[in-house]
Amino acid sequence: MKKLLEKYAPTRENLLDILHELQDNDPQNHLTAEALREVADYIGIPLSDVMSTASFYSMFSLQPRGRHIIRICESPPCLLMGADSLITALQEMLGVKVGETTEDGAFTLETTSCLGACGVAPAMMIDDELYGNLSRERLAEIIDRVRSADEAR
Ligand code: FES
């Protein structure tokens, strides 16, 4: 963790970047209590400041999550294009509810506000990849592709 921290100057301005870096490098895609303490020590700010930043932004998680984070948009333009039924489809496909992680630890399903991709609504992101013009069929293909890529590793 020290190596990751040292990529950034120990200033409060770098807090968000540091939290991103630590979360991205965590095998369970979250910020551990230990990581938050180390960040507070490194920057020299109270742990409560680090905690409140980490819990304020929805992109950070204090709970362990899957290897892949699915964020499906539930803002009005995507809802108008059927995002609701896609959320249901994803829940059925993965056997989890929104906010949960699949038993094999592969996926965590989350909802999000607008991803800036309303032109291709309904849209979602898996990790850093954006997917638009979603349908049930396309969802199934995408999930299969991500699973197969995992298995090939
Ligand atoms: S409303 Fe869903 S991407 Fe903008």
Side-chain angles (χ1 to χ4, degrees), residues 1 3-4 10-11 13-14 22 35 41 47 67 73 80 89 92-93 95-96 100 109-110 115-116 129 143-144 153:
M1 191 177 313
K3 263 199 182 138
L4 294 177
T11 63
E13 291 72 48
N14 285 335
L22 295 181
D41 286 351
L47 176 59
R67 288 188 296 285
C73 175
L80 276 174
E92 288 167 8
M93 241 175 256
V96 295
E100 294 179 350
L109 178 60
E110 297 181 351
L115 293 165
E129 191 94 18
I143 299 293
D144 277 355
R153 278 192 196 137

Side-chain angles (χ1 to χ4, degrees), residues 15 20 47 58 95 98 117 128-129 131 137:
L15 178 56
H20 271 298
L47 176 59
S58 63
V98 170
D128 296 329
E129 191 94 18
Y131 299 90
E137 296 68 35

Side-chain angles (χ1 to χ4, degrees), residues 5-19:
L5 289 173
E6 285 172 358
K7 287 164 80 175
Y8 301 88
T11 63
R12 194 181 275 272
E13 291 72 48
N14 285 335
L15 178 56
L16 288 180
D17 288 340
I18 291 173
L19 292 177

Side-chain angles (χ1 to χ4, degrees), residues 105-137:
F107 296 99
T108 296
L109 178 60
E110 297 181 351
T111 55
T112 180
S113 51
C114 182
L115 293 165
C118 320
V120 291
M124 72 172 179
M125 289 191 80
I126 300 184
D127 305 326
D128 296 329
E129 191 94 18
L130 178 75
Y131 299 90
N133 297 316
L134 296 171
S135 61
R136 276 181 177 251
E137 296 68 35

